[in-house]
Amino acid sequence: MAKKTVASLQSSSKRLTKAIKMVKSPKTGAYTFVESVMAPELVNDWLNSK
């Protein structure tokens, strides 16, 4: 799991954070990466969700 604040995502009104997590596929068992851009306050909730 990773959390990174990217300078190119910054705007004058809001700070955004790009979060990346690994998700295991129930069928194949392979891992995939899921990326999302969101407010920094929501990152921990998103990373802890399945």
Side-chain angles (χ1 to χ4, degrees):
M1 293 187 267
K3 176 178 148 181
K4 181 177 182 181
T5 302
V6 181
S8 63
L9 297 175
Q10 306 302 320
S11 64
S12 60
S13 62
K14 290 189 176 183
R15 276 188 60 205
L16 297 175
T17 301
K18 181 178 184 179
I20 304 169
K21 69 177 173 179
M22 284 188 355
V23 178
K24 188 173 183 178
S25 170
K27 286 186 178 181
T28 64
Y31 285 93
T32 59
F33 293 95
V34 179
E35 298 181 10
S36 182
V37 178
M38 64 193 77
E41 302 83 35
L42 304 174
V43 172
N44 287 334
D45 293 335
W46 183 77
L47 288 175
N48 292 331
S49 68
K50 282 197 171 191

